[in-house]
Amino acid sequence: MERLMEGFSMLTWREYLFAAAVAYVITYIYRVFSRMLKNSRERKKNGEKTYVIKTFDRQAIDRCKELFPIDVLSFKGREFKRGMQIKVTTIQKNVIVGEFIGLSYANLVCIKTGNQIIAHQLEKIAEVTVAE
């Protein structure tokens, strides 16, 4: 312990200042990276997953019916059947209006809009109503 104290007594004030500055920089970098990591984890956890097919034909629609075999969507006590025009509002307030194609076993809802086929996570949907 005595040798350690002798070593500290030999340091100048500039060396103390340098050590404090290095410690501050290391702590700052650590905090920035930990915040970035935390934010990326939250974005992945809370982020909506929407899959969009922009070009489609009859074969694409038939394939979607195979991939989304459940033809009835039960959402908050209401039922929507395949072929119905529905309006979906996501938790991020995006609105999707189109024909209900089906529901997958992985809880993805498939909707055919005017020029797209959209698959969206059921957990990330806030509201489903019949489209006017």
Side-chain angles (χ1 to χ4, degrees):
M1 183 73 171
E2 229 173 87
R3 285 183 64 198
L4 182 66
M5 296 308 279
E6 285 177 23
F8 280 128
S9 67
M10 293 174 56
L11 296 175
T12 65
W13 67 273
R14 287 185 180 153
E15 291 168 330
Y16 279 114
L17 184 63
F18 178 73
V22 169
Y24 175 78
V25 168
I26 290 172
T27 304
Y28 180 79
I29 291 171
Y30 172 77
R31 292 180 72 195
V32 166
F33 280 118
S34 64
R35 271 191 231 131
M36 286 174 37
L37 184 62
K38 179 182 171 188
N39 289 341
S40 70
R41 285 182 186 159
E42 287 177 3
R43 267 188 260 128
K44 285 180 185 176
K45 184 176 150 185
N46 296 332
E48 293 183 2
K49 292 195 178 163
T50 303
Y51 306 97
V52 178
I53 299 173
K54 294 198 178 196
T55 59
F56 63 91
D57 53 9
R58 188 70 201 150
Q59 290 177 340
I61 294 171
D62 291 340
R63 182 75 177 133
C64 284
K65 287 181 180 177
E66 291 175 19
L67 293 172
F68 299 90
I70 303 169
D71 59 352
V72 176
L73 169 65
S74 295
F75 191 83
K76 295 186 180 179
R78 297 184 67 192
E79 286 190 352
F80 304 94
K81 295 184 181 182
R82 179 173 285 163
M84 289 179 71
Q85 292 293 318
I86 62 173
K87 177 181 174 183
V88 175
T89 306
T90 67
I91 59 173
Q92 291 185 345
K93 306 299 182 210
N94 296 327
V95 177
I96 305 166
V97 179
E99 178 184 341
F100 174 62
I101 299 293
L103 180 67
S104 74
Y105 294 112
N107 283 336
L108 287 172
V109 178
C110 184
I111 303 162
K112 181 183 89 167
T113 65
N115 58 353
Q116 300 175 344
I117 297 175
I118 300 172
H120 193 77
Q121 289 177 298
L122 184 61
E123 299 86 26
K124 305 296 181 177
I125 293 176
E127 183 180 5
V128 179
T129 58
V130 177
E132 294 89 31

